[in-house]
Amino acid sequence: MEKTEQKRSYGLLGRNISYSFSKGYFTDFFQKQGLHHCSYETFDLRNITDLETILKEYPELHGLNVTTPYKEAIIPFLHSLDPEAAAIGAVNTIKFTKTGLVGYNTDGYGFQRSLEPFLTKKAHKNALILGTGGASKAIKYTLQQLGISSHYVSRSPEKGQWTYQMLTKEQIANHTLIINCTPVGTFPRINDKPAIPYAHLGKGHLLYDLVYNPEKTAFLQEGEQRGTSICNGLTMLGYQAQKAWEIWQK
């Protein structure tokens, strides 16, 4: 008699995530790999405390991804953190173990793998990170590992951070790598873009947008019109998802 594989569910925690890449990616992956006992759900939570209900209703859960706005808020609900996730201060992957929920961060890995083909270390020594949410922490950590100095830009800056209004021609010239870690420009508000002085961009700049829907955001279009290199977050998500699957299978 053929053995029936035990049902396994995985999923994504977030808010307003109907556009999510992850469900389509993993549903397709499971089908191609013949993993018919695996499924992937999206859990659109109004509040992170709703996680407790999800865990009760889905006892077959074996792993979760975490997206905006819960990458930091999830941490108190976990039993332990992988050292890299602890160093970053944000979690985007959760592994279910016999001893509890363990938090990991694969954003940094995905970002580095997708960034490296565009990166010229001589040209890209300084970066601007637009936004200060959970994703930005993984970006900053990864840039540090690559030896790239970075500065946060925020609408509500903390000490040592810059506002968008503070950005000068010289600062834009000195920071040739600019990463948008905010949701600004995401479908359906595709004409929105971070308020940086685009007129000062040039061929030496690399603009990276974590947003992937639309494929070419208004932020990236502004750069492309001025000769910059551009990259969106879709490749990053692919690498990040691959790494999450490795973690769940360990």
Side-chain angles (χ1 to χ4, degrees), residues 141-156:
Y141 175 86
T142 303
L143 293 174
Q144 287 173 343
Q145 303 303 303
L146 292 169
I148 298 173
S149 174
S150 62
H151 215 104
Y152 278 125
V153 182
S154 174
R155 291 180 299 176
S156 304

Side-chain angles (χ1 to χ4, degrees), residues 116-152:
E116 284 176 335
F118 297 89
L119 204 56
T120 305
K121 289 194 175 181
K122 287 184 179 179
H124 303 119
K125 295 180 180 179
N126 301 299
L128 293 178
I129 302 174
L130 311 182
T132 55
S136 74
K137 289 177 168 53
I139 301 309
K140 189 170 185 65
Y141 175 86
T142 303
L143 293 174
Q144 287 173 343
Q145 303 303 303
L146 292 169
I148 298 173
S149 174
S150 62
H151 215 104
Y152 278 125

Side-chain angles (χ1 to χ4, degrees), residues 4-153:
T4 302
E5 290 276 11
Q6 183 182 4
K7 183 180 178 182
R8 289 182 171 231
S9 288
Y10 303 87
L12 175 70
L13 301 178
R15 190 191 298 154
N16 300 326
I17 52 174
S18 59
Y19 65 89
S20 167
F21 159 91
S22 299
K23 182 174 175 62
Y25 175 90
F26 278 108
T27 300
D28 184 58
F29 174 76
F30 294 151
Q31 186 176 3
K32 287 179 178 176
Q33 296 295 318
L35 301 172
H36 304 300
H37 61 294
C38 294
S39 64
Y40 195 94
E41 315 295 333
T42 53
F43 301 109
D44 208 313
L45 308 186
R46 293 186 66 182
N47 192 291
I48 191 59
T49 56
D50 294 338
L51 172 64
E52 295 170 356
T53 303
I54 298 298
L55 296 178
K56 289 176 184 176
E57 291 182 355
Y58 291 82
E60 71 277 12
L61 272 172
H62 278 68
L64 288 167
N65 294 124
V66 185
T67 189
T68 306
Y70 300 129
K71 292 185 179 185
E72 297 165 281
I74 192 72
I75 292 175
F77 294 84
L78 306 177
H79 298 91
S80 62
L81 290 179
D82 171 76
E84 188 166 76
I88 290 170
V91 163
N92 80 325
T93 301
I94 300 171
K95 182 176 181 178
F96 287 55
T97 74
K98 291 179 180 178
T99 55
L101 304 179
V102 183
Y104 293 81
N105 193 300
T106 68
D107 278 337
Y109 170 81
F111 174 65
Q112 182 170 340
R113 287 292 304 272
S114 61
L115 176 69
E116 284 176 335
F118 297 89
L119 204 56
T120 305
K121 289 194 175 181
K122 287 184 179 179
H124 303 119
K125 295 180 180 179
N126 301 299
L128 293 178
I129 302 174
L130 311 182
T132 55
S136 74
K137 289 177 168 53
I139 301 309
K140 189 170 185 65
Y141 175 86
T142 303
L143 293 174
Q144 287 173 343
Q145 303 303 303
L146 292 169
I148 298 173
S149 174
S150 62
H151 215 104
Y152 278 125
V153 182

